[in-house]
Amino acid sequence: MSKYLFIQSSVRGADSASGQLAAHLKKQLGAVSGNEILERDLGSNPLPVLDAALLGTLFTPADALNPAQKTQAALVSTLIEELKAADTVVLSAGMYNFAAPVQLKTWFDYVLQAGRTFHYTATGPEGLVKGKRAILLVATGGVYSEGPAAAADFMVPHLKQLLAFVGITDVSVIRAEGMALGNDAAKAGLEKALAEIETL
Ligand SMILES: Cc1cc2nc3c(=O)[nH]c(=O)nc-3n(C[C@H](O)[C@H](O)[C@H](O)COP(=O)(O)O)c2cc1C
């Protein structure tokens, strides 16, 4: 049995290209008996962004939390438990202004917690979420896998860094590229990515 955690972050609903990639992968995984899929769609159900109140909760001992802080702390714990329970984490994201959607960055703001998903050692930080695989399903208007725009891809390297920080270094990347380069390019980019998903 294998557990998959899907974190979707496009805000484009049914029009989302990265969402179509996620749907395709989910359909394939769902056809294999024993696979368990948990999904969080942050595009339609965003997490509250990190603010002073949430930071206060994160730095307050459990026995001193007020009722509102307890609710926030429970959400943080749930998200961390979902991550720890998964064998494979699938992040789907469209590139917005050269980076991942803020909804996905916010999810990392919740799950990157010292002492729970990473800790500091004498030689530096160490991830505590080990033995897992991640799959990034990304959609971009332009082309970043090669060529002049590659240096402007602040999405995939950032997501890989965040995953590595908690200990996830086995990362596969599937890119639907050229979504803004006309219908033919978008169709070809999407079809290529969908075909790649079948080889995962
Ligand atoms: C607000 C916004 C910002 C975008 N910024 C970029 C960008 O910086 N680079 C790029 O190649 N495409 C950009 N795009 C195009 C998206 O990456 C493209 O539409 C992709 O399909 C979005 O993924 P989604 O369909 O899963 O939401 C942007 C789109 C939107 C809506």
Side-chain angles (χ1 to χ4, degrees):
M1 188 169 109
S2 207
K3 288 188 176 181
Y4 292 83
L5 173 63
F6 275 71
I7 304 292
Q8 294 178 222
S9 61
S10 170
V11 298
R12 301 201 321 122
D15 293 332
S16 163
S18 62
Q20 286 181 59
L21 301 184
H24 193 61
L25 180 55
K26 261 182 279 177
K27 194 173 162 196
Q28 305 220 331
L29 295 171
V32 179
S33 93
N35 279 344
E36 202 175 292
I37 296 174
L38 179 68
E39 181 184 343
R40 274 202 179 259
D41 186 345
L42 303 177
S44 54
N45 284 303
L47 299 164
V49 293
L50 179 65
D51 60 5
L54 177 55
L55 213 49
T57 294
L58 294 171
F59 286 95
T60 300
D63 58 2
L65 294 170
N66 66 34
Q69 290 176 320
K70 277 184 186 160
T71 303
Q72 282 186 318
L75 177 57
V76 173
S77 293
T78 298
L79 295 170
I80 289 175
E81 280 157 23
E82 287 174 0
L83 172 63
K84 287 189 169 176
D87 300 303
T88 301
V89 186
V90 182
L91 305 179
S92 64
M95 178 184 279
Y96 299 155
N97 299 319
F98 305 101
V102 67
Q103 287 81 0
L104 184 53
K105 166 63 166 51
T106 295
W107 179 79
F108 279 104
D109 289 338
Y110 278 71
V111 300
L112 265 61
Q113 297 302 330
R116 302 174 81 177
T117 53
F118 70 92
H119 67 170
Y120 291 106
T121 71
T123 53
E126 181 187 13
L128 298 172
V129 186
K130 298 200 171 163
K132 300 188 191 298
R133 180 186 186 196
I135 300 171
L136 305 184
L137 303 175
V138 302
T140 55
V143 173
Y144 297 85
S145 58
E146 57 183 9
D153 178 4
F154 298 100
M155 175 165 71
V156 170
H158 187 210
L159 294 174
K160 281 185 168 179
Q161 170 64 30
L162 291 162
L163 289 165
F165 194 68
V166 296
I168 304 174
T169 52
D170 178 1
V171 183
S172 305
V173 183
I174 303 275
R175 296 174 182 261
E177 301 191 280
M179 297 300 104
L181 302 182
N183 287 344
D184 289 349
K187 189 166 176 277
L190 193 58
E191 279 173 3
K192 182 169 173 281
L194 292 169
E196 278 177 33
I197 284 174
E198 288 172 28
T199 68
L200 275 174

